[in-house]
Amino acid sequence: MTQASHARSHGGQLLNVSLRYWRRWLVPLVGCTVLAGAYAFLRTPKWEASQTVLLRNEAVSTGDESLGRFRSIEDLQLTQETVLEVAQSHSVLKAVLEEAGLPATPEGIADLRDMVSIVPPDGAEFGKTELFYIKVKDKDPEAAKKLASLLGQHLQDGLQRLRTARTAGVIEELEKGVTLAQADLDEASRKLAAIESEVGGDLADLRMLDITATGDSDLRRQLSSVQDELRTAERELRANQETLDLLKEAQRDSGRLLAMPTDLLARHPGLAKLKDGLVAAQLKTAELMGLMTEHHPLVKAALEAEQQISRQLDAELVIAVRGAEVDYRLNAARVADLKKRQGELERRLNTLAALRTDYSTLAAQVKHRTQLLEQAERALATARTAEAAATNASQISLVDSPIVGNRPVGPGKSLILAAGFVAGAMLGGGLLLLSVDAAEFRPAPREIPMSTPSHNYVNDRLTSDAVMAAAWPFETVGRSRK
């Protein structure tokens, strides 16, 4: 027997079993089809309205030329998650129901939340596009359109309230930060002003020391000039002392005058002339005494001239000593004054050096706290700008008006009815196969003519068993039952 004949035999046996137990498969089939038809004709179709929304970033948060653009995907995703939560929040949904004239009960809000969805455009991934849709389902297309429009408007209001509340908290915090920064700056400035008032006219030198400890300040230049003048005055004072000592010795011994250095006599030109005159007179007297006796009138005249020059020299020495004493006292007073000025300048420098560390610290604190205050004020100005933007502008833009589809969402009546028929057929067939013994599906064996060679009978029998095993795998289930 061929495989085709076996299949036809099994098909016929299956048909016979189906006709014999028709209630087992027909009742589920009809029941499921009737239920599907009833659901298809009695259910209320849902219409879906779609409102296109464009999301933008806060302009004050970018600070560059890309105003309104998100700096990263993470920022966009975070903002869209916030929009999604606000759209499904209790306050927004309640406001939509109240404006639509519907009962704003907890059950109504929960139902509306189930009917609302936010989806990205077709082919896009949520969180990677600034455009998305707000979709609302309702049994009335006009009601769905109205709810979608109201939801978009109240979503704008909800986001504005959220931004306002957030910026209000930020502004309050920043105002406290500005107040604290201003107080710290005022305290440091007051201490710095006290030090500056203490140093008075040396403030420029103190600031120069603050810049560099070895800087050339006016006070240092004054000290250096005074030190140079003091060294010069001390040299002159020593020279005056030496001159005065020599002149006094010359008073006691006129011969010491001849040994006085030329540069010392250059300060007293009268003494120098008298010294030269005295030397000339002494030479002339010695020359005459070598030719004549001491009683000779020429010798006497020469001696008289020499004595006259000596007296003039003594008188000039007295005048020179007085002048040297005056010079000495003046130079001594000048040296004392210069030393006093040097001490005063050194004291002032030491005072500035002692104040330099505190002054540098306070100056750095004032500078740092000024920067902190400027940063806090800039942040506060930015937050106030954001608050004004949240009050007057929305972070989302509604594109056009809501659009309702041409047909209700979900499967149609024909598709529901077909699905019910298929489900009933599968349920009935499964019930039939599970409730009927597998032996009833097996066709009756046919007798093999004796004239047929034994080997052909064996081959046909093996082929028949293989076809039955392949076509009716549940036969093993029937055998196991037996």
Side-chain angles (χ1 to χ4, degrees), residues 119-332:
V119 297
D122 295 338
E125 184 179 351
F126 191 81
K128 293 187 178 181
T129 174
E130 299 175 357
L131 192 69
F132 60 91
Y133 300 106
I134 298 176
K135 294 187 177 182
V136 181
K137 296 179 182 179
D138 195 88
K139 60 182 179 180
D140 184 7
E142 292 300 326
K145 185 176 180 180
K146 182 179 180 180
L147 289 174
S149 177
L150 292 176
L151 183 59
Q153 297 173 7
H154 286 282
L155 177 59
Q156 288 181 326
D157 297 338
L159 287 176
Q160 287 180 347
R161 289 193 300 269
L162 178 63
R163 293 172 62 193
T164 301
R166 181 180 61 188
T167 53
V170 172
I171 288 175
E172 182 179 0
E173 181 180 351
L174 290 176
E175 286 177 347
K176 293 181 180 179
V178 169
T179 303
L180 292 176
Q182 185 66 55
D184 293 341
L185 178 60
D186 292 341
E187 181 182 0
S189 299
R190 184 169 58 254
K191 294 179 180 179
L192 186 65
I195 294 179
E196 292 179 348
S197 177
E198 180 181 352
V199 297
D202 296 333
L203 179 59
D205 299 275
L206 180 59
R207 289 177 177 175
M208 182 62 69
L209 287 175
D210 180 39
I211 298 174
T212 171
T214 59
D216 186 17
S217 63
D218 182 65
L219 199 59
R220 288 183 179 275
R221 288 194 295 270
Q222 292 181 23
L223 179 60
S224 178
S225 176
V226 168
Q227 289 175 344
D228 292 339
E229 291 181 11
L230 180 59
R231 285 191 291 270
T232 302
E234 287 177 345
R235 285 197 300 269
E236 292 179 356
L237 183 62
R238 288 193 296 270
N240 290 333
Q241 182 66 45
E242 292 176 358
T243 301
L244 181 61
D245 292 341
L246 290 176
L247 290 176
K248 288 181 177 181
E249 291 179 0
Q251 281 183 324
R252 293 190 295 270
D253 185 5
S254 59
R256 299 294 299 272
L257 181 64
L258 301 177
M260 293 181 65
T262 305
D263 58 345
L264 183 61
L265 292 175
R267 299 179 184 179
H268 302 279
L271 285 178
K273 291 181 180 180
L274 289 174
K275 172 189 173 183
D276 294 338
L278 180 60
V279 171
Q282 289 177 348
L283 291 175
K284 184 177 181 181
T285 301
E287 181 181 358
L288 291 174
M289 289 181 68
L291 298 175
M292 303 173 186
T293 63
E294 57 182 5
H295 299 289
H296 193 276
L298 293 177
V299 174
K300 291 181 179 181
L303 291 172
E304 183 64 25
E306 182 179 352
Q307 293 176 357
Q308 183 67 29
I309 293 174
S310 296
R311 287 192 294 272
Q312 292 180 356
L313 185 59
D314 293 336
E316 188 67 25
L317 281 173
V318 173
I319 297 174
V321 167
R322 293 176 180 175
E325 289 177 347
V326 172
D327 290 340
Y328 178 81
R329 287 195 299 270
L330 291 176
N331 283 331

Side-chain angles (χ1 to χ4, degrees), residues 417-450:
L417 189 61
F421 179 81
V422 172
M426 295 177 63
L427 180 60
L431 182 60
L432 179 65
L433 294 177
L434 292 175
S435 61
V436 178
D437 193 352
E440 297 189 29
F441 291 97
R442 186 186 308 152
R446 298 180 61 184
E447 295 183 357
I448 305 301
M450 296 300 295

Side-chain angles (χ1 to χ4, degrees), residues 11-26:
Q13 188 68 18
L14 178 61
L15 180 59
N16 293 332
V17 173
S18 300
L19 293 175
R20 187 184 311 162
Y21 301 101
W22 59 273
R23 291 185 181 86
R24 299 186 182 184
W25 60 268
L26 184 59

Side-chain angles (χ1 to χ4, degrees), residues 396-408:
I396 63 173
S397 300
L398 304 180
V399 181
D400 297 332
S401 58
I403 300 175
V404 182
N406 297 328
R407 61 186 65 184

